[in-house]
Amino acid sequence: AQSVTQLGSHVSVSEGALVLLRCNYSSSVPPYLFWYVQYPNQGLQLLLKYTTGATLVKGINGFEAEFKKSETSFHLTKPSAHMSDAAEYFCAVSDNDYKLSFGAGTTVTVRA
Amino acid sequence: KAGVTQTPRYLIKTRGQQVTLSCSPISGHRSVSWYQQTPGQGLQFLFEYFSETQRNKGNFPGRFSGRQFSNSRSEMNVSTLELGDSALYLCASSNPDRENSPLHFGNGTRLTVT
């Protein structure tokens, strides 16, 4: 079975500081890996997706993630946090495009 | 292009009742998936439909069912509601005909069971 573990249920950063959200996956087959963001009272929005090819994936809103097979990790980063980045972030793994296994989520707060 | 539309946004039901939630996918998307989101269990896959056929189902009891119509719109039904069914139900659509088509989520239906 595929699963993901997100380290840290809550992350607090200062505006302009680096955002780093950690995700480790477990999969017996080459996975699809995703990061989604959820704002209050809204659905999930795809930030980025890894399938094959380049291990550094660039997404929307300045986010990027690096697939490291040796570490089974897919950490999400953004060089400079903005107030609008305050939200909940979910890492997910799948072997297809519709049945995703999500992590527990990491809530990001941004301090002015 | 309109996004995924879920109706209603909010529902309050009583234990033992049944409920039907509706989802209209993005135009051209033929795959519709449903997820349940709760504070305790997080996001869990319910089922996925493609061309009116259920292709995959998560680990939920038979009280949870769904269907898809010829226009790709989908409904999910929960019968004999329990307090634990209170959750945000998210629908997502995708276009399997396009390589690497991601899931696009609606804003969800928040169901409260009292």
Side-chain angles (χ1 to χ4, degrees), chain B:
Chain B
K1 204 175 200 182
V4 177
T5 303
Q6 292 188 245
T7 56
R9 284 298 308 275
Y10 301 93
L11 264 178
I12 300 176
K13 291 287 187 179
T14 304
R15 273 180 301 175
Q17 288 186 314
Q18 75 164 21
V19 67
T20 299
L21 312 182
S22 180
C23 172
S24 294
I26 291 172
S27 178
H29 284 194
R30 295 192 292 149
S31 170
V32 174
S33 306
W34 289 88
Y35 287 81
Q36 182 196 63
Q37 185 176 24
T38 61
Q41 299 298 317
L43 282 152
Q44 294 184 287
F45 174 79
L46 280 157
F47 29 63
E48 186 259 355
Y49 287 86
F50 176 74
S51 292
E52 303 178 64
T53 300
Q54 187 183 90
R55 290 198 297 185
N56 217 318
K57 183 173 166 57
N59 189 26
F60 279 82
R63 300 185 297 106
F64 291 82
S65 63
R67 59 177 176 169
Q68 186 180 34
F69 302 95
S70 57
N71 61 359
S72 295
R73 191 177 69 84
S74 177
E75 289 181 347
M76 68 163 281
N77 184 276
V78 188
S79 63
T80 319
L81 284 166
E82 300 177 0
L83 294 179
D85 297 333
S86 295
L88 180 66
Y89 290 88
L90 292 166
C91 168
S93 72
S94 67
N95 182 1
D97 297 328
R98 282 189 61 191
E99 191 176 347
N100 296 329
S101 173
L103 285 180
H104 295 264
F105 283 83
N107 287 330
T109 294
R110 184 164 297 280
L111 171 65
T112 302
V113 182
T114 62

Side-chain angles (χ1 to χ4, degrees), chain A residues 97-108:
Chain A
D97 274 318
Y98 58 86
K99 185 180 180 183
L100 275 58
S101 295
F102 285 89
T106 299
T107 299
V108 172

